[in-house]
Amino acid sequence: MNGGQDLGGTHGHGPVKPEPNEPVFHDEWEKRACALTLAMSAPGGWNLDMVRFARENRPPREYLSMTYYQIWFAALERMTKERGLVSDDEIEAGHSLYPPKPVRRVLSPGDVAKTLHRGGPTERDTNTKPVFAVGDKVRAKNINPLTHTRLPRYVRGHVGTIERVVGCHVFPDSNAHGGGENPQWLYTVRFDGRELWGADSDATIKVSVDAWEPYLSPTT
Amino acid sequence: MQLRTRALETILIEKGYVEQAAIDQLIETYEKKIGPRNGAQVVAKAWVDPKFRQWLFEDGTAAIGSLGFGGRSGNHLVALENTASVHNMVVCTLCSCYPWAVLGLPPLWYKSAPYRSRAVADPRGVLRDFGMELPKDTEIRVWDSTAELRYLVVPMRPAGTEGWSEGKLVELVTRDSMIGTGRPKHPGELP
Amino acid sequence: MSGQDHDHHDHEHSELSETQLRVRALETVLTEKGYVDPAALDLLIETYEKKVGPRNGARVVARAWIDPAYRARLLKDGTPAIAEIGYAGRPGEHIVALENTPKLHNMVVCTLCSCYPWPVLGLPPVWYKSAPYRSRAVADPRGVLADFGVTLPKDTEIRIWDSTSEMRYLVLPMRPAGTEGWSEEKLAELVTRDSMIGTALPKSPKDIAK
């Protein structure tokens, strides 16, 4: 979606302000919000692409004025409520009011290290062949879905070069909305800075994105 | 906000940069005097007078100026003709440009993110928000007011108004119909 | 609840922010329903607060500086090379190492959210996840580097990698001069987190000289 999260190339946000000796978490609640999010993905039965969409799917004004973990937590609340795992009145009350729903798996302390170590690889086997090869010129499509996509606006319509054929990976545009993993060939596409930002911009810049095949059209 | 505005106004007046009476006049003008009634008169005239209508589409500023309307945000007016096959809609995606001279100050929804973001991408969806559904094959022209041109939609004259006077037709022309997000009233809707 | 408990409860509430309350409430509800185990939550927090951090990436870089064969393996396929040192897992399943050279400087961003190579760098800092960096890195990297006090030669090519997929990027900065014969451990001290994101250069020997 063309939401507040699609920030590449937007203006007005001011300088980057690193915090010296920044702690990993700035508040106790941030730790809990982070851990809860990680621990709920199995019982919640959702995937990372769904989580990302739940985070970005709000008015840009909200997205831009919330802190990072506030966004995480808002998405966690939304997803647990959507799946009927918790309800608003329970959160208001601060404790469970209704019986739990059966869930497939709960993360135990003993499994934490193993689960983190295993991660969630997204590469999948396929019988198909990639359409593009290294060195091919491609044009990023001008798509504007209301749903989740990982093609940022600042590259849409622009011509780049295939730098790398990454492999066949889970396709977020489907996976975020219950359309299944639908793995597609994934490429790293390199764009000239001037192609993206105009003839007057810095000539020494090149920007790449990782783009799935459905995002790209051949061009000469 | 009230305190801050009042404070700044006081200071500007005390320093002699602005005059209280002028400010009051400005407020009175846009609160009470200049409003969509101006544009309604333009539209009603175009409905009854073919020569004026032609002039209006050829040179909006001059034709509208001839009725005594113009000036601020009305120096460069373009009238847009709605037909059976083309529907016009006006927006300012970048801020809130609006033909003040004929419509007064814009409503909040016109200046807000939902309209500004969706009008150019999903005009049918926006029209649905206004309770309006157009035939599938109607062309929708969205005009983004990015320069100093200001756009006034001239909606189609409602049926059942043959022989009506200009004065009576004015009653049918709504503000939203001149932005392109509504239809004029039809005769049955008048009290 | 006794009168005393109730007073303490109220006093606490008045000090907590709304978000804090809601987080606590949701955690309580989820725990009571058995969806999450508080001990698992504590372990997750401990892992990312104390165990996994940029020291991991620094070791990878230091080894690459010292061992040309390892460097070659790392640049060819980051994931297994990093696993050799013992770091792997979510989200770091697909790591690509990016080599800085005198002519080329790499910088990593996630304009769309905050994708970051957790296994080698831990959790990302706030600036990495915020609008100023996400908006400007791809358009004005030199301006961003200036915010970090870094100026590169005018003709250095700058490559910005927007992490739009599950590929995660780790910058391999150039080995500072004057470090001939240094041990891996000592070299690792020069490797800062920001140098592995691409918004800084590694420390030089005089930076850590005492």
Side-chain angles (χ1 to χ4, degrees):
Chain A
M1 63 179 281
N2 293 351
Q5 86 291 354
D6 196 348
L7 284 165
T10 58
H11 294 169
H13 303 288
V16 180
K17 288 195 187 143
E19 181 188 337
N21 304 313
E22 183 187 327
V24 176
F25 299 106
H26 289 75
D27 239 306
E28 185 62 31
W29 70 261
E30 288 195 343
K31 300 181 193 181
R32 312 312 297 182
C34 179
L36 282 169
T37 301
L38 296 177
M40 275 305 293
S41 63
W46 55 65
N47 58 58
L48 183 53
D49 301 306
M50 292 174 177
V51 169
R52 288 201 182 110
F53 185 67
R55 288 175 187 154
E56 68 203 20
N57 186 23
R58 60 198 62 253
R61 180 180 58 182
E62 273 182 30
Y63 183 90
L64 293 171
S65 62
M66 290 161 82
T67 66
Y68 184 74
Y69 283 111
Q70 279 180 324
I71 294 171
W72 272 44
F73 186 68
L76 177 64
E77 264 200 60
R78 177 186 289 169
M79 288 190 299
T80 48
K81 285 193 285 193
E82 263 173 12
R83 282 161 177 75
L85 298 173
V86 305
S87 62
D88 257 322
D89 51 352
E90 288 178 312
I91 300 178
E92 291 297 314
H95 57 91
S96 181
L97 297 170
Y98 316 109
K101 284 194 157 172
V103 294
R104 228 173 358 135
R105 215 167 60 242
V106 173
L107 182 67
S108 70
D111 282 341
V112 167
K114 195 171 58 182
T115 305
L116 291 181
H117 189 86
R118 189 181 59 234
T122 50
E123 188 154 11
R124 299 290 182 263
D125 289 329
T126 180
N127 297 324
T128 65
K129 295 249 178 300
V131 163
F132 303 111
V134 173
D136 283 356
K137 288 231 172 317
V138 289
R139 187 181 296 275
K141 288 183 181 168
N142 185 12
I143 56 167
N144 290 276
L146 293 168
T147 48
H148 186 61
T149 186
R150 295 292 290 186
L151 186 66
R153 268 178 290 181
Y154 71 88
V155 300
R156 294 176 196 167
H158 289 293
V159 174
T161 307
I162 302 284
E163 180 158 5
R164 188 187 164 112
V165 181
V166 177
C168 195
H169 285 253
V170 173
F171 187 45
D173 304 48
S174 318
N175 203 34
H177 298 288
E181 292 194 339
N182 189 18
Q184 302 291 324
W185 281 96
L186 177 66
Y187 307 88
T188 299
V189 182
R190 188 181 71 241
F191 297 86
D192 229 56
R194 287 198 157 161
E195 164 73 10
L196 299 178
W197 311 115
D200 294 336
S201 66
D202 190 336
T204 64
I205 298 175
K206 295 201 187 337
V207 181
S208 69
V209 299
D210 300 326
W212 285 260
E213 213 164 84
Y215 295 166
L216 306 170
S217 309
T219 188
T220 43
Chain B
M1 277 307 300
Q2 194 134 7
L3 287 172
R4 286 185 82 85
T5 359
R6 190 175 296 181
L8 185 61
E9 181 175 346
T10 304
I11 294 167
L12 294 174
I13 290 171
E14 281 177 0
K15 289 188 188 276
Y17 299 149
V18 301
E19 286 183 38
Q20 180 81 69
I23 297 196
D24 292 339
Q25 267 270 55
L26 284 163
I27 294 170
E28 164 110 10
T29 302
Y30 284 106
E31 215 177 5
K32 306 213 164 90
K33 296 202 176 126
I34 300 185
R37 192 138 185 102
N38 298 5
Q41 290 179 62
V42 173
V43 170
K45 193 174 179 75
W47 283 347
V48 304
D49 182 343
K51 275 172 81 172
F52 178 79
R53 184 188 183 87
Q54 189 181 350
W55 189 26
L56 177 63
F57 291 126
E58 277 170 9
D59 187 348
T61 312
I64 291 167
S66 75
L67 298 183
F69 309 131
R72 200 197 161 81
S73 225
N75 295 113
H76 309 283
L77 290 163
V78 174
L80 305 169
E81 185 182 14
N82 276 3
T83 69
S85 48
V86 176
H87 180 87
N88 295 283
M89 221 162 111
V90 182
V91 66
C92 176
T93 60
L94 299 176
C95 50
S96 60
C97 302
Y98 190 76
W100 291 13
V102 283
L103 294 186
L105 295 180
L108 187 54
W109 60 259
Y110 182 88
K111 306 180 276 193
S112 300
Y115 187 69
R116 287 166 56 189
S117 59
R118 283 174 57 227
V120 292
D122 178 26
R124 282 182 193 276
V126 169
L127 287 173
R128 234 168 265 133
D129 287 348
F130 282 88
M132 210 175 143
E133 194 84 42
L134 291 172
K136 277 203 222 329
D137 54 358
T138 304
E139 181 184 311
I140 303 186
R141 292 286 321 268
V142 184
W143 303 73
D144 192 353
S145 317
T146 52
E148 292 312 308
L149 295 183
R150 298 288 172 266
Y151 296 100
L152 180 75
V153 174
V154 179
M156 288 189 284
R157 177 173 178 167
T161 59
E162 296 71 26
W164 281 35
S165 69
E166 240 176 89
K168 203 162 171 215
L169 286 167
V170 161
E171 303 297 317
L172 298 176
V173 186
T174 63
R175 176 201 61 197
D176 290 357
S177 69
M178 291 182 283
I179 299 171
T181 52
R183 290 185 210 278
K185 294 180 177 168
H186 46 81
E189 285 177 280
L190 284 183
Chain C
M1 218 184 315
S2 76
Q4 268 181 318
D5 283 353
H6 195 69
D7 287 343
H8 177 72
H9 195 60
D10 280 351
H11 178 62
E12 230 183 52
H13 270 233
S14 69
E15 285 173 349
L16 294 176
S17 69
E18 195 194 317
T19 308
Q20 212 155 351
L21 287 172
R22 285 190 85 84
V23 173
R24 189 175 290 190
L26 185 63
E27 179 173 344
T28 304
V29 174
L30 294 173
T31 303
E32 284 176 3
K33 290 184 190 282
Y35 299 147
V36 301
D37 180 336
L41 297 179
D42 291 338
L43 249 187
L44 283 163
I45 293 167
E46 174 156 353
T47 303
Y48 285 107
E49 215 174 10
K50 309 220 162 85
K51 297 204 178 128
V52 180
R55 291 293 96 221
N56 299 7
R59 284 186 60 195
V60 171
V61 170
R63 180 160 303 181
W65 283 347
I66 275 199
D67 180 348
Y70 180 76
R71 183 193 186 88
R73 286 201 298 285
L74 176 67
L75 291 173
K76 183 145 192 269
D77 193 347
T79 311
I82 286 163
E84 273 181 50
I85 303 194
Y87 310 127
R90 69 157 300 150
E93 297 81 5
H94 313 280
I95 298 193
V96 174
L98 307 170
E99 182 184 30
N100 279 1
T101 71
K103 291 221 154 64
L104 172 65
H105 181 86
N106 295 282
M107 219 160 113
V108 182
V109 67
C110 175
T111 61
L112 299 176
C113 50
S114 59
C115 302
Y116 191 76
W118 289 17
V120 282
L121 295 185
L123 295 180
V126 169
W127 62 258
Y128 181 87
K129 308 180 276 192
S130 302
Y133 187 68
R134 288 166 56 186
S135 59
R136 281 173 59 229
V138 292
D140 179 25
R142 287 182 191 274
V144 168
L145 287 167
D147 285 347
F148 282 86
V150 176
T151 307
L152 295 174
K154 277 204 217 341
D155 57 356
T156 304
E157 182 182 310
I158 304 184
R159 280 293 312 271
I160 303 99
W161 304 72
D162 192 352
S163 317
T164 52
S165 71
E166 297 308 319
M167 307 305 292
R168 295 288 170 268
Y169 296 100
L170 180 74
V171 174
L172 174 53
M174 288 189 284
R175 177 173 177 167
T179 60
E180 295 71 28
W182 282 34
S183 69
E184 217 177 285
E185 221 179 291
K186 202 159 175 222
L187 284 169
E189 288 182 46
L190 297 177
V191 186
T192 62
R193 174 199 64 198
D194 292 356
S195 69
M196 293 182 281
I197 299 171
T199 51
L201 303 173
K203 291 182 180 167
S204 65
K206 63 173 162 53
D207 289 331
I208 64 170
K210 285 289 194 278

